[in-house]
Amino acid sequence: MAQNDKEAPEGEEGAEGEGPAKKKPPILIIAIAAAVLVLGGGGAAAFFLLKPKPPAEAGEHGAEKKEKKKEEKKEEKKEGEKGKEGAGAGGPAPVIKEGPDGVVFYTLPDIVVNMQTADGKSTFLKLKLTFELPDEDTAEALTPNLPRLQDMFQSFLRELRPEDLNGSQGTYQLRVELLRRVNLVAAPAKVNAVLIEEMLIN
């Protein structure tokens, strides 16, 4: 009996000895679970933060850009109507206004040239010209070619003499020649008419 009593405590000690061995696996499982949670949370955060924008948002961005371009065009048109001069090397800008029946009036910056005279006296011609255009597209095509147009007009007008512009016949002939030249530059677009708003010979 005494042996049995002695064995019992050994068994209890054995059971107690096994206890700590059984507690180690739950700690390992908790550590693995915590690592999985941390990695899973990081992956989820990366997925949500780095996710591409939905197509609806991209569409809104595109619409905003189009609206901005429309507003910029409207501002440019207003500036042209007010007759503001272009800054820098571009020099004065043409003035573009809407006219009746859908036509567009395109007023050039003033042209001043030194004309030839028989007696060698200095004579200046100042012209204010407006083109009658069929639409705004023609105006947009004409504006980039403005330096060419001004050069062509200067070359032609310098060859004139004051007596070439006398009377209605001289003015009519001047309009015809200017219209022919502007249509060469504007082609394939076409200018309807050249209007002489002001002509001074000094």
Side-chain angles (χ1 to χ4, degrees):
M1 293 292 291
Q3 284 179 353
N4 287 342
D5 291 340
K6 283 180 183 177
E7 285 175 8
E10 282 177 11
E12 284 173 11
E13 282 176 13
E16 284 174 8
E18 287 173 8
K22 284 181 182 176
K23 286 180 184 176
K24 283 183 184 175
I27 292 170
L28 188 60
I29 289 170
I30 290 169
I32 291 171
V36 168
L37 282 173
V38 169
L39 291 175
F47 175 77
F48 286 114
L49 293 175
L50 303 175
K51 183 172 71 169
K53 291 182 180 178
E57 284 182 22
E60 285 173 11
H61 253 337
E64 284 176 13
K65 283 182 182 176
K66 284 181 183 177
E67 284 178 19
K68 279 184 183 178
K69 282 184 181 177
K70 283 182 183 177
E71 286 175 13
E72 284 174 8
K73 279 191 176 181
K74 283 181 184 176
E75 287 297 321
E76 284 173 12
K77 190 176 173 184
K78 283 179 185 175
E79 283 178 11
E81 287 176 358
K82 287 177 185 175
K84 287 186 178 177
E85 292 187 350
V95 178
I96 302 168
K97 292 181 184 176
E98 289 181 15
D101 303 322
V103 300
V104 174
F105 292 120
Y106 187 96
T107 304
L108 293 178
D110 290 349
I111 300 169
V112 179
V113 294
N114 189 5
M115 298 177 74
Q116 290 185 352
T117 56
D119 59 1
K121 193 178 171 184
S122 287
T123 304
F124 292 94
L125 169 67
K126 181 182 176 185
L127 278 178
K128 185 175 184 179
L129 301 175
T130 296
F131 303 144
E132 185 183 301
L133 310 178
D135 50 37
E136 285 188 21
D137 292 339
T138 308
E140 287 176 12
L142 208 54
T143 300
N145 290 305
L146 196 56
R148 284 183 188 159
L149 195 60
Q150 288 175 321
D151 178 64
M152 190 181 284
F153 283 176
Q154 289 275 346
S155 302
F156 165 66
L157 294 169
R158 282 178 194 277
E159 296 300 316
L160 295 178
R161 294 175 303 224
E163 51 267 27
D164 294 332
L165 303 175
N166 286 343
S168 58
Q169 181 63 32
T171 307
Y172 173 78
Q173 194 62 38
L174 178 63
R175 273 200 205 99
V176 169
E177 288 297 327
L178 293 175
L179 182 61
R180 186 175 71 78
R181 283 168 169 76
V182 72
N183 277 324
L184 286 173
V185 173
K190 189 159 183 172
V191 175
N192 296 340
V194 173
L195 310 173
I196 300 174
E197 288 196 48
E198 187 181 353
M199 183 168 66
L200 295 173
I201 300 172
N202 186 9

